[in-house]
Amino acid sequence: MTKTVTIRDIEIGGTAPFSLITGPCQLESLDHARMMAETIAEACAPTGTRFIFKASYDKANRSSITTERGLGMDEGLTILSKIRDEFGVPILTDVHDAAQCGPAGEVVDVIQIPAFLCRQTDLLLAAGRTGCAINIKKGQFLAPWDMENVAAKVASTGNESILLCDRGTSFGYNTLVSDFRGLPIMARTGYPVVFDATHSVQQPGGQGTTSGGQREFAPVLARAAVAVGVSALFIETHQDPDNAPSDGPNMIPVEKMGTLIGQLRALDDLTKSQPPIGL
């Protein structure tokens, strides 16, 4: 049985229905964030699915110097604070160095550690000390059992509100593969496991100066992760993915989210009513 992490009034872990971490990859404006939050809330309402609104104020690991990074921390955190207050939902954003953790932790409910930075000790310790929940993306280069050491760095600060997130594993050049054995392996740490369905179909650097992706496979992987029994799903979404400033090829069109969530909740109910057979 995994631990339960409570984020505001959302319980993640144990036998609770999966929660959703969702929103656009990159913050674009206050009006856009409002529109996305409202549309996501409408998509979640029929099933009562709880969601954490996710958006990044800075995409520091873009493929090229010419691609858009975002609004920056000051403007981004101001927008996220308004979304949190207006919609009453928890907020998640990434940090990229230890100095960002304090200011971000004053605004958001969940600090996310990007996959490429998941072994950066100073960053993990600074994030843990904020007292926020910490969602740690498993590096594409790490084995799932290596995440026990990563989580221990955050836990050493006294912060046990830790989520471990799988977003695929490097498989040759410009390709990721999802090994679903890794989800129960990471769950052995006792921390809730999140599956990132949209970044798992990313093709890193696959378009030269930007990353490609195969969004048609994101719902397939999400269904598989729910069948394994994950505690939360990470699914980025946008009203016009093909023209989004970041990770458009991976993101689910927001008008498809309601149908997808309904299908996933039905599978989740079945999965969590029948624990896996022990061998």
Side-chain angles (χ1 to χ4, degrees):
M1 179 71 69
T2 60
K3 302 172 184 176
T4 298
V5 173
T6 301
I7 300 171
R8 296 187 74 171
D9 60 346
I10 299 177
E11 290 192 355
I12 300 178
T15 59
F18 77 81
S19 299
L20 191 60
I21 299 171
T22 186
C25 180
Q26 188 179 124
L27 275 173
E28 298 176 35
S29 68
L30 176 57
D31 286 344
H32 183 258
R34 281 178 172 143
M35 181 274 293
M36 291 299 303
E38 182 175 6
T39 308
I40 290 166
E42 291 171 355
C44 290
T47 57
T49 299
R50 308 301 305 278
F51 77 95
I52 296 167
F53 185 79
K54 178 271 165 191
S56 300
Y57 56 76
D58 180 23
K59 301 300 293 183
N61 59 347
R62 298 307 306 271
S63 299
S64 167
I65 192 66
T66 61
T67 47
E68 295 183 52
R69 287 184 54 167
L71 300 177
M73 185 166 66
D74 291 343
E75 184 178 358
L77 290 178
T78 298
I79 290 172
L80 291 173
S81 177
K82 290 179 178 178
I83 297 300
R84 183 186 189 213
D85 293 343
E86 291 177 19
F87 290 89
V89 295
I91 299 294
L92 176 150
T93 199
D94 327 67
V95 294
H96 297 92
D97 63 54
Q100 294 180 0
C101 293
E106 294 178 2
V107 173
V108 305
D109 303 276
V110 187
I111 288 177
Q112 181 165 278
I113 305 298
F116 288 130
L117 301 178
C118 71
R119 289 182 56 172
Q120 296 298 106
T121 301
D122 290 343
L123 178 61
L124 292 164
L125 295 178
R129 291 182 186 120
T130 65
C132 294
I134 312 298
N135 185 41
I136 312 172
K137 293 282 192 81
K138 182 183 79 66
Q140 301 93 322
F141 46 87
L142 284 187
W145 45 86
D146 292 333
M147 290 299 284
E148 184 171 7
N149 291 330
V150 173
K153 293 181 181 181
V154 174
S156 74
T157 68
N159 186 345
E160 291 277 347
S161 296
I162 298 168
L163 309 174
L164 301 180
C165 182
D166 191 290
R167 50 125 328 141
T169 301
S170 296
F171 188 72
Y173 299 126
N174 304 125
T175 305
L176 300 171
V177 66
S178 293
D179 179 0
F180 289 98
R181 297 173 300 176
L183 303 179
I185 290 171
M186 286 200 296
R188 291 173 187 165
T189 63
Y191 297 111
V193 172
V194 183
F195 181 73
D196 181 345
T198 42
H199 285 100
S200 291
V201 300
Q202 187 185 63
Q203 296 169 318
Q207 295 181 346
T209 58
T210 60
S211 291
Q214 295 175 299
R215 75 169 68 97
E216 67 271 24
F217 294 120
V220 178
L221 297 186
R223 287 165 68 107
V226 167
V228 172
V230 290
S231 298
L233 286 170
F234 182 110
I235 300 177
E236 288 185 337
T237 185
H238 196 275
Q239 86 284 357
D240 185 12
D242 289 333
N243 291 297
S246 177
D247 274 346
N250 315 333
M251 286 195 282
I252 301 294
V254 73
E255 69 269 16
K256 305 279 189 183
M257 287 291 285
T259 299
L260 177 59
I261 292 166
Q263 294 175 352
L264 295 172
R265 279 299 298 268
L267 287 170
D268 189 61
D269 291 344
L270 177 62
T271 298
K272 287 176 179 166
S273 69
Q274 301 180 26
I277 299 170
L279 298 177

